[in-house]
Amino acid sequence: MNPQPPPPAPSETETPPAPAAAGTDANGSLARPFKLSRRFDRTGRLLGDTAMERLANARVVVFGQGGVGSYATEGLVRSGIGHLTLVDHDDVCVTNTNRQLHATVKGVGKSKAELMAQRCREINPMARIEAVREFYREEVAEQMLQPGQYDFVVDAIDNVKAKLHLLHRCVSLGIPVVSSMGAAARLDPTAIRVEDLSETHMDPFAKDIRKLLKRKYGVETDRHTGITAVYSIEARRMPVALNYDDATDGFLCVCPQDNDFHTCDHRTQIDGSVSFVTSCFGMNAAGVVIRRLASTR
């Protein structure tokens, strides 16, 4: 992993979130009462001070900073989550521009995790943001996800093997998790649904995840799993060949880096996708996290 250094200390004009526990702080001094920043005024008027204090003290990790994960991160930081860890091994590719929040002309070739971390710090300089340039997999799972480390996990991974292991680890450790199913190959954001994984239907990807979790890890996916899934009931649309594919005998990957884990060339098919669907997947995932953490720890 390659964690980034913590952001600068809060300015004197800001009041940092106090520890949730009343009484004294870690140094034995009287704890300062929580004071909501005006930047979260409108969220606070929906949820109240007590819920906003929970969010400010919550620790959330988002695995994947692509078309779904970048928007999930945006929804979380703009809702007042005080501690965010952003995990992604990739650099921005020009083909990310149509759907990923950090993908701009200046962003191409730069780390997705670090770009989103920088963006989060500009939205809420009081938050503690960590960028981790890593690909989640079994070999690094214990290092990246430990018991009690996070209050919630957002799974926006599109690699099936990695997703399966992450979901199994969350279930095994009892960590609340919301997982994005197939956001690509869809055009209708109104067809998005949020259910326990066992209740998903009309989504072939979700069906495969249920089957493989049960077969490989023994997770009973025909009853309540505790895995909240964001999925779509819209039928998948097959990708359309484009004119420039003819010049390369098919799809040509133009990603700025090669890796041994997950590349365009490793995929059997490159689906189309649009921002107004992938973003809604991400924002739905963020909504699950905020509603749960605001109501109870």
Side-chain angles (χ1 to χ4, degrees):
M1 295 192 300
N2 183 24
Q4 301 300 315
S11 68
E12 295 181 357
T13 60
E14 296 281 0
T15 302
T24 59
D25 60 20
N27 298 318
S29 303
L30 288 175
R32 300 171 66 183
F34 175 78
K35 184 178 179 181
L36 182 66
S37 168
R38 290 286 184 174
R39 64 173 54 91
F40 297 118
D41 178 89
R42 301 306 190 265
T43 310
R45 292 182 188 279
L46 268 178
L47 302 177
D49 283 307
T50 301
M52 294 306 295
E53 184 173 8
R54 291 194 191 105
L55 298 181
N57 286 284
R59 298 178 178 273
V60 179
V61 59
V62 183
F63 287 97
Q65 292 296 312
V68 174
S70 61
Y71 280 92
T73 296
E74 182 91 353
L76 293 169
V77 72
R78 288 192 184 274
S79 298
I81 294 294
H83 304 261
L84 276 170
T85 300
L86 313 179
V87 182
D88 200 297
H89 70 296
D90 256 343
D91 292 334
V92 175
C93 173
V94 67
T95 62
N96 301 150
T97 307
N98 80 315
R99 70 197 183 282
Q100 299 189 17
L101 200 55
H102 42 58
T104 64
V105 171
K106 293 182 179 179
V108 172
K110 297 180 180 179
S111 164
K112 293 181 179 181
E114 181 52 39
L115 284 175
M116 281 307 300
Q118 292 172 11
R119 181 179 176 93
C120 288
R121 292 172 191 138
E122 291 180 1
I123 293 169
N124 182 13
M126 303 298 294
R128 299 294 184 256
I129 311 296
E130 181 184 19
V132 179
R133 185 173 180 139
E134 183 61 274
F135 181 86
Y136 178 88
R137 58 198 187 280
E138 183 174 359
E139 293 78 5
V140 297
E142 289 191 11
Q143 184 181 5
M144 298 182 74
L145 188 60
Q146 300 173 2
Q149 186 177 9
Y150 298 108
D151 299 296
F152 225 106
V153 170
V154 177
D155 161 34
I157 297 175
D158 57 3
N159 179 278
V160 173
K161 184 177 180 180
K163 180 181 285 286
L164 291 170
H165 191 277
L166 175 61
L167 293 177
H168 172 247
R169 185 160 180 80
C170 288
V171 171
S172 299
L173 297 179
I175 304 173
V177 58
V178 57
S179 177
S180 173
M181 298 293 112
R186 271 89 176 187
L187 276 174
D188 183 5
T190 69
I192 296 172
R193 303 289 185 269
V194 179
E195 305 280 357
D196 185 84
L197 180 63
S198 62
E199 300 295 330
T200 55
H201 59 283
M202 297 177 66
D203 183 341
F205 185 76
K207 181 179 180 180
D208 288 343
I209 294 298
R210 293 197 309 271
K211 179 176 65 176
L212 291 170
L213 271 176
K214 187 172 185 177
R215 178 191 302 170
K216 188 169 183 179
Y217 293 107
V219 177
E220 293 296 333
T221 53
D222 52 356
R223 62 190 185 196
H224 186 81
T225 64
I227 300 169
T228 302
V230 182
Y231 71 105
S232 175
I233 61 172
E234 180 185 4
R236 288 173 48 83
R237 297 168 182 260
M238 294 300 294
V240 178
L242 301 174
N243 289 337
Y244 52 63
D245 289 343
D246 294 338
T248 60
D249 295 323
F251 176 84
L252 175 66
C253 178
V254 294
C255 294
Q257 68 172 18
D258 293 324
N259 62 72
D260 296 327
F261 306 118
H262 192 64
T263 67
C264 296
D265 292 333
H266 289 159
R267 306 182 190 186
T268 58
Q269 179 173 288
I270 302 297
D271 289 316
S273 54
V274 287
S275 62
F276 52 82
V277 171
T278 61
S279 62
C280 289
F281 267 74
M283 288 297 183
N284 268 287
V288 169
V289 176
I290 297 301
R291 289 191 297 273
R292 297 268 189 89
L293 293 181
S295 61
T296 179
R297 285 304 286 274

